[in-house]
Amino acid sequence: MRESIRPRTRFIDLPAGFAMKRGGALYGARIAYETFGELNAARDNVILILTGLSPDAHAASNEHDPTPGWWEGMLGPGKPIDTDRWHVICVNSLGSCKGSTGPASVNPATREPYRLDFPQLSVEDIADAAAYTVRALGFERLACVIGTSMGGMSALALLARHPGLVRSHINMCGSVHSLPFSIAVRSLQREAIRSDPDWNQGHYDEENYPRRGMLMARKLGMVTYRSAEEWDSRFGRARMEPARHASAEPAPVEPEFKVEGYLEFHANRFVRSFDPNSYLYLSHSMDQFDLGDSCGGTAAEALSRIRVESALVMGARTDILFPWHQQRTIAEGLSAGGADVEFLLLDSPAGHDAFLVDIDRFGPPVAKFLSVGW
């Protein structure tokens, strides 16, 4: 599959021989980014956003690309992350297929896509590439780094590995490491992709694409992104309208319930927009990440060594992928390091995706945090 890059995406070239944590180095690599809002005269109003596994750098509409972004409700003029006040940089993660160098990119040594020749990816690599990007843009001190889901992991790695780069931190539905449940789910997602004959050890193309494997992987993910409470209230046991040619009683193997139709529709929207090998690399990096191991100690010790002035850590009561006690661990650890920390457990039914879809609950605390003490 080719990379999927928006026409107005901007790029920063990584240095030749960009070293990867688990071995290997990248040459001719780049990071994709977009910016929102104006830089002030003092150059001290810069916010960095680190994303979850699948988003690109287009977090919201802007003057370069007016199409809605993946966080349109949170970011923009007068919104919680107010671009009338803040200059926001959103980067696409290293290893992705949305503009930053990853398995779908061309390896300059072979002039063919990297595929599985891409070096093993770590969350620390993603953090280092983001830190290099903001410095290459001329910023040595950021007002805030915001990390969501996998981006919450990347943000913690950035704070630990690049002390002094950031004044404050907002962590939404993040963690210091993955728990067995989320590792198990992502393991099944990867197995679904690898088990598709069209995956072909990573050597697929546009005509022979592991569609069934990607569909199954995405559906598994979607089930964990929301809560059982929301699935029940949203769909209950409602059934799909029978097709005109179908019998009154569907066959036992045919989809029957509206929730099945929802998963099928949204998974189909995703599969051709994301590279399967990138999905494998990024999800594996999440499973391997452990902030404590990365810093040569326990997670609590690593968090206590991070120096930020203030932090806002938020979780959703119904999140089963990164349960709320993982965010409480982050808050307690940053507080032990001397940060002024607010921890909020929000009563959202939306599960792990609450930071994306429940802006009414997640937005006001972000707006308050970003309006105080600056």
Side-chain angles (χ1 to χ4, degrees):
M1 176 183 167
R2 294 187 297 270
E3 297 172 283
S4 176
I5 306 172
R6 288 178 177 269
R8 299 298 182 92
T9 302
R10 302 178 184 184
F11 301 96
I12 286 290
D13 292 331
L14 294 176
F18 181 84
M20 305 288 275
K21 181 177 184 290
R22 295 188 171 88
L26 295 175
Y27 293 84
R30 65 185 186 180
I31 294 296
Y33 74 97
E34 288 194 30
T35 61
F36 312 84
E38 297 298 322
L39 183 65
N40 65 14
R43 298 174 60 84
D44 63 357
N45 68 328
V46 182
I47 292 175
L48 172 66
I49 295 178
L50 300 176
T51 76
L53 185 151
S54 59
D56 57 19
H58 188 62
S61 54
N62 57 27
E63 66 273 21
H64 305 291
D65 185 346
T67 58
W70 58 267
W71 222 9
E72 192 73 23
M74 184 70 79
L75 175 65
K79 295 178 181 178
I81 306 173
D82 189 353
T83 52
D84 286 335
R85 180 175 187 182
W86 301 103
H87 178 65
V88 180
I89 304 166
C90 182
V91 298
N92 178 233
S93 297
L94 182 69
S96 182
C97 56
K98 303 290 188 177
S100 294
T101 298
S105 307
V106 172
N107 180 349
T110 64
R111 299 190 179 182
E112 296 289 337
Y114 277 101
R115 304 184 188 276
L116 300 190
D117 288 333
F118 194 76
Q120 189 172 171
L121 179 71
S122 72
V123 167
E124 292 88 344
D125 300 326
I126 295 170
D128 289 347
Y132 181 88
T133 298
V134 296
R135 288 184 172 123
L137 290 171
F139 305 114
E140 292 297 330
R141 182 75 162 163
L142 302 175
C144 187
V145 60
I146 300 175
T148 61
S149 187
M150 185 189 81
M153 292 177 161
S154 304
L156 293 174
L158 183 146
L159 291 169
R161 295 169 68 84
H162 300 274
L165 182 59
V166 181
R167 283 182 58 191
S168 69
H169 175 41
I170 298 176
N171 195 295
M172 302 188 197
C173 301
S175 69
V176 296
H177 54 228
S178 294
L179 295 178
F181 173 75
S182 58
I183 292 173
V185 171
R186 285 193 288 271
S187 175
L188 290 173
Q189 291 176 294
R190 293 191 295 272
E191 184 177 343
I193 295 170
R194 296 194 310 268
S195 297
D196 189 317
D198 285 332
W199 182 64
N200 191 27
Q201 298 300 309
H203 288 272
Y204 46 82
D205 54 31
E206 294 292 336
E207 292 185 3
N208 301 287
Y209 174 89
R211 179 176 175 275
R212 293 308 311 174
M214 282 291 283
L215 276 173
M216 182 60 68
R218 187 59 173 176
K219 288 179 182 180
L220 281 168
M222 290 171 64
V223 169
T224 67
Y225 298 155
R226 301 298 178 93
S227 70
E229 179 181 324
E230 180 173 358
W231 292 121
D232 185 51
S233 64
R234 188 169 182 179
F235 296 105
R237 290 182 54 80
R239 286 170 165 79
M240 294 186 286
E241 293 293 330
R244 291 183 180 178
H245 64 275
S247 62
E249 285 294 326
V253 296
E254 293 179 356
E256 180 179 356
F257 294 93
K258 284 189 175 181
V259 67
E260 296 176 278
Y262 175 88
L263 292 175
E264 184 74 16
F265 174 77
H266 286 280
N268 269 299
R269 290 180 59 191
F270 176 80
V271 293
R272 287 286 181 173
S273 70
F274 208 86
D275 176 62
N277 286 336
S278 289
Y279 204 103
L280 296 175
Y281 271 79
L282 287 164
S283 74
H284 191 234
S285 75
M286 294 174 69
D287 291 347
Q288 289 189 310
F289 177 68
D290 187 302
L291 184 66
D293 288 348
S294 179
C295 297
T298 66
E301 291 168 343
L303 288 165
S304 70
R305 296 188 196 119
I306 290 174
R307 295 292 179 263
V308 289
E309 296 173 11
S310 58
L312 172 64
V313 184
M314 293 189 286
R317 176 183 55 81
T318 55
D319 189 346
I320 61 172
L321 196 61
F322 287 2
W324 65 267
H325 62 81
Q326 293 193 286
Q327 291 91 60
R328 182 178 63 185
T329 295
I330 295 170
E332 291 173 350
L334 294 177
S335 181
D340 180 9
V341 181
E342 182 177 10
F343 169 59
L344 294 177
L345 173 59
L346 300 180
D347 193 31
S348 171
H352 185 65
D353 267 358
F355 70 89
L356 281 174
V357 300
D358 199 347
I359 303 301
D360 287 345
R361 286 185 175 90
F362 274 73
V366 171
K368 180 181 176 182
F369 180 81
L370 292 176
S371 66
V372 175
W374 301 95

